[in-house]
Amino acid sequence: MRPLGVRLVAVFLLWLAAGWLLLGWSQGLAFWEDAKRDLRPEALTPFGDTTPPPWAPIGPFLAAAVLAAAVLVLTRKLGGFRKA
Amino acid sequence: MSEVVAEAPLAVSLATSPLVRSRRLGDYLPRHALYAALLGVPAVVLAALLSLPFPAAQGPGFVVVGILAAPVVEEASKLAMVVWMGRRLGVQASAEGWLVLGACVGFGFALVETAGYALVFGATPAGMAYVGLSRMAFLPVHALTAGLAAYGYGTWKEGRGAGRFAAGVALAVLLHGVHNGFGFLLGGAV
């Protein structure tokens, strides 16, 4: 894959990592609790329970870490940011 | 050309690279990109039709649909639009050009899907705005996966074997499923 494609994929991965980090951070804020009141119950209760599972805070940060690692591997293995 | 692309900022590269050309749209990438993004709309419609056998489920069924069925259906729908561009619109592109076009289809798909989720899950205008804005963080999922599948399609069109095509599609479905799986770690509240 040539540099443009590598950079594009890296930008997507970083965007997603930032998104997951933002989500993890926002869950600790009051506006997450406020927002729940403005959502239909089915948006929050696929497991039939309004209480988030105990592992819920881990998910976003795990996702962000995996994606950030993917960017590192991608750029190192494919040389995406080196000058041609 | 690759030296020029490597040293130019990403946005400039995207706007000026002669990566794609077609009889109807010339070799101007932004025009192809906009067309591809618009194809996100029929892709969502196709995905909705293909999803009919998988009604919304609760509990474990929700996980099965979200991690297995939804990625397969949605990636197939986006890829169908990419293939349509290649076969019906006569778009000629490098594998990398197909990656860009696939990503554009994915972005269009994600925007339409997000608007749908906002309308369905928001109980109030504030809730709709919350769903719409918060899902902006995850728009690249569809762009990334559609781009990878389209890259596989591009390598196949270049005669580099069907294996790469299959690998691109498989990787796209896998990444999509993993992403959805992370969502379930939150109890589905994404």
Side-chain angles (χ1 to χ4, degrees):
Chain A
M1 199 183 290
R2 291 182 300 184
L4 175 60
V6 173
R7 281 191 288 177
L8 200 60
V9 170
V11 166
F12 288 154
L13 289 171
L14 283 174
W15 182 344
L16 280 175
W20 278 107
L21 268 179
L22 195 66
L23 183 71
W25 173 67
S26 73
Q27 278 197 304
L29 299 179
F31 74 74
W32 172 254
E33 294 301 321
D34 291 343
K36 281 184 183 175
R37 287 199 295 271
D38 293 319
L39 301 180
R40 294 186 193 282
E42 57 267 33
L44 293 161
T45 58
F47 295 102
D49 182 2
T50 53
T51 309
W55 62 80
I58 300 169
F61 297 109
L62 188 63
V66 169
L67 291 167
V71 173
L72 278 178
V73 170
L74 182 78
T75 52
R76 279 173 183 271
K77 291 280 183 192
L78 299 177
F81 293 115
R82 288 182 208 144
K83 283 190 176 179
Chain B
M1 196 274 284
S2 63
E3 288 82 359
V4 174
V5 170
E7 292 178 9
L10 182 61
V12 176
S13 303
L14 286 172
T16 58
S17 299
L19 292 171
V20 299
R21 61 174 47 89
S22 69
R23 228 174 22 258
R24 281 195 210 170
L25 303 175
D27 61 0
Y28 189 54
L29 179 60
R31 199 176 294 158
H32 285 83
L34 178 64
Y35 197 95
L38 290 174
L39 285 176
V41 179
V44 168
V45 174
L46 179 60
L49 291 172
L50 292 174
S51 297
L52 287 176
F54 310 104
Q58 293 284 309
F62 183 85
V63 177
V64 171
V65 169
I67 293 180
L68 296 177
V72 170
V73 163
E74 292 176 2
E75 294 313 319
S77 302
K78 288 179 286 181
L79 186 60
M81 297 304 139
V82 170
V83 174
W84 189 85
M85 284 191 85
R87 294 182 70 89
R88 303 291 296 184
L89 203 61
V91 171
Q92 301 288 318
S94 63
E96 200 167 12
W98 282 114
L99 189 153
V100 175
L101 293 178
C104 291
V105 172
F107 261 117
F109 185 100
L111 284 172
V112 176
E113 185 190 51
T114 295
Y117 280 145
L119 290 173
V120 170
F121 291 137
T124 65
M128 291 177 192
Y130 176 80
V131 173
L133 289 174
S134 63
R135 285 187 63 87
M136 289 295 119
F138 303 110
L139 282 189
V141 170
H142 284 297
L144 176 66
T145 56
L148 288 173
Y151 181 78
Y153 173 68
T155 57
W156 175 68
K157 294 256 299 177
E158 285 179 346
R160 290 156 70 185
R164 284 171 181 263
F165 188 7
V169 175
L171 184 60
V173 171
L174 181 70
L175 280 177
H176 198 149
V178 168
H179 174 83
N180 286 2
F182 277 130
F184 299 133
L185 278 178
L186 290 167
V190 177

